[in-house]
Amino acid sequence: MEAIRKQATKLREQVARQQQAVLKQFGAGGYGGSDNLVTDEAELHQHQKLEKLYISTRAGKHYQRDIVRGVEGYIVTGSKQLEIGTKLSEDSRKYGSENTCTSGSTLSRAALNHGRARAQMEKERGNLLKALGTQVAEPLRAMVMGAPLEDARHLAQRYDRMRQEAEAQAIEVAKRQAKVRETPGNSESIMKLEAAEAKLQDLKANMAILGKEAAAAMAAVEAQQQRLTLQRLIAMIEAERTYHQRVLQILDQLGGEMISERQRIEASPSPSVDNTMPPPPSYEEVNGVYASQTHNGTTDSMGYFLGEVMHPYQAESDVELNLSIGDYVVVRKVSNNGWAEGECKGKAGWFPFGYVERRDRVLASKVAEVF
């Protein structure tokens, strides 16, 4: 009898250690339990399936959250770029419409075209940011925070807790069985064993039902996650593709306008002095002769005015002026043979009249450069 009692004590200690190991494993929290006491193959398969679904839906949730965060950051950055681009378009249009020095010139038209195109591009950027917010971020955020995912996860966690309870009950049954073997014929021990076994069977039956419900719910959520995430990724790509295509069209049109304007300028023939045109009269001959007078066939019926140099001219004699594009000249006399006399940068002399264009409105700083 003493040997039997020692063996029983040893068995009870072994069972207690197993129970402590199980409780220690489940004490860390989270999903997933021990498979040591699971002997039903169908139940084990169900458990493993739920573990995979739980891990998959958790990874899908984290990926959706990452997409939402990335899109929201892109929207914040894009909004700042939109603000800067809009300011640039306004500055370009303002220069093109208000600049008195080059009003109606090539640069003014180019500035206006650039401002218009930039405004259109920023409008497309705004449409892109709006689409990313409403078509991508909001649906995914609703999925991450939605009830279906949480409900399915709660079912899986309830199943896991019930499975842990069943494992603990299986340990209890093992203890009762050992006690019955120690004291055979003890009716009380037998009744307690039968009650423990009945409870274990109920737990297994309920666990099987709950496991099926949890697996179905998790599978449905996983399918919804994958379908929604794929749809939102496609929507994001389509929105960006539409944006870039539209911006490319705008830039192509703007580039065409700019190139056409440049080609028009480059194709304009530079005025040249007619080979048959007589040389300008000597400056000494006309010095002191002004608009109201005539001398050697030269006349001036327009009075003094300012002219902007449109083409460069290299003086070929001491009585001629060197001209650079953008210079301003006080035109004092225009000859019948195509020459004009005036002053530029403190020097007076003759130059081909076709190289300048009359300007009625000039900045004061430009006038100061003439003298």
Side-chain angles (χ1 to χ4, degrees):
M1 291 295 294
E2 184 65 26
I4 294 176
R5 280 196 295 272
K6 288 183 179 179
Q7 186 178 2
T9 302
K10 185 177 181 180
L11 181 61
R12 282 196 297 271
E13 290 175 355
Q14 183 179 359
V15 171
R17 285 195 299 271
Q18 290 177 347
Q19 186 175 13
Q20 289 176 358
V22 171
L23 294 175
K24 183 178 180 181
Q25 182 174 1
F26 292 125
Y31 183 83
S34 172
D35 295 332
N36 295 334
L37 301 176
V38 177
T39 57
D40 190 309
E41 184 177 352
E43 195 280 331
L44 176 60
H45 177 72
Q46 185 83 306
H47 171 70
Q48 293 174 342
K49 179 181 179 181
L50 267 174
E51 277 188 325
K52 293 178 181 179
L53 284 170
Y54 194 90
I55 294 173
S56 174
T57 53
R58 181 177 59 189
K61 177 181 179 179
H62 290 169
Y63 181 48
Q64 289 178 333
R65 185 178 295 160
D66 291 341
I67 294 175
V68 171
R69 290 173 178 171
V71 169
E72 288 176 343
Y74 184 85
I75 291 175
V76 171
T77 304
S79 298
K80 185 62 177 178
Q81 292 176 334
L82 191 152
E83 179 182 345
I84 296 172
T86 301
K87 179 65 167 59
L88 175 59
S89 70
E90 292 173 353
D91 291 343
S92 293
R93 286 183 295 189
K94 181 178 180 181
Y95 177 87
S97 60
E98 297 182 3
N99 189 280
T100 57
C101 181
T102 60
S103 178
S105 70
T106 299
L107 182 57
S108 295
R109 289 192 296 271
L112 287 171
N113 291 338
H114 177 265
R116 171 187 51 76
R118 172 59 63 178
Q120 292 176 346
M121 287 189 288
E122 298 312 323
K123 181 180 179 181
E124 295 298 329
R125 186 192 299 273
N127 293 337
L128 170 64
L129 299 180
K130 182 178 179 181
L132 292 179
T134 58
Q135 299 179 21
V136 179
E138 292 180 6
L140 290 179
R141 188 186 300 111
M143 179 70 182
V144 170
M145 306 299 295
L149 174 60
E150 292 304 315
D151 291 346
R153 290 163 67 90
H154 289 158
L155 277 177
Q157 291 166 355
R158 279 179 56 196
Y159 165 81
D160 188 52
R161 289 193 295 269
M162 185 174 291
R163 190 172 191 274
Q164 295 177 25
E165 186 179 354
E167 290 177 339
Q169 187 62 27
I171 295 174
E172 180 67 19
V173 168
K175 289 171 59 179
R176 294 297 177 188
Q177 289 172 345
K179 192 169 185 180
V180 167
R181 286 193 296 268
E182 288 178 7
T183 57
N186 189 326
S187 59
E188 182 180 356
S189 297
I190 294 173
M191 289 177 60
K192 289 183 178 180
L193 174 60
E194 291 175 351
E197 289 176 341
K199 183 178 180 181
L200 178 59
Q201 293 302 319
D202 289 341
L203 284 172
K204 285 186 175 181
N206 293 334
M207 185 173 63
I209 296 173
L210 184 59
K212 291 180 180 178
E213 293 178 357
M218 294 289 285
V221 168
E222 182 189 48
Q224 184 182 7
Q225 272 186 337
Q226 295 188 6
R227 182 173 60 253
L228 179 65
T229 304
L230 179 59
Q231 290 174 348
R232 296 312 95 198
L233 284 175
I234 293 174
M236 180 167 60
I237 293 171
E238 288 295 326
E240 290 185 304
R241 185 172 65 87
T242 301
Y243 162 72
H244 289 296
Q245 286 179 339
R246 180 58 185 144
V247 168
L248 181 59
Q249 293 175 355
I250 296 171
L251 289 175
D252 285 342
Q253 180 180 354
L254 177 61
E257 293 171 351
M258 296 286 192
I259 292 174
S260 297
E261 193 65 26
R262 185 184 66 185
Q263 291 174 344
R264 185 187 67 80
I265 296 174
E266 293 176 350
S268 299
S270 298
S272 58
V273 180
D274 192 344
N275 292 333
T276 62
M277 186 171 65
S282 65
Y283 187 70
E284 291 78 3
E285 294 179 10
V286 296
N287 189 27
V289 180
Y290 299 101
S292 59
Q293 300 176 340
T294 62
H295 185 71
N296 293 338
T298 62
T299 62
D300 182 6
S301 61
M302 295 182 288
Y304 285 24
F305 64 90
L306 281 175
E308 181 180 357
V309 178
M310 307 306 294
H311 303 279
Y313 178 70
Q314 184 68 36
E316 298 181 359
S317 67
D318 294 339
V319 298
E320 299 177 15
L321 280 178
N322 288 318
L323 301 178
S324 299
I325 295 177
D327 288 347
Y328 281 84
V329 183
V330 176
V331 181
R332 299 187 296 203
K333 185 183 297 292
V334 178
S335 169
N336 292 331
N337 61 6
W339 289 88
E341 188 272 334
E343 183 176 350
C344 178
K345 297 180 180 180
K347 295 182 179 180
W350 293 90
F351 55 88
F353 181 63
Y355 280 53
V356 301
E357 288 186 6
R358 180 168 182 156
R359 293 288 182 260
D360 294 327
R361 301 178 64 184
V362 183
L363 293 177
S365 59
K366 295 296 183 180
V367 176
E369 294 177 359
V370 176
F371 301 99

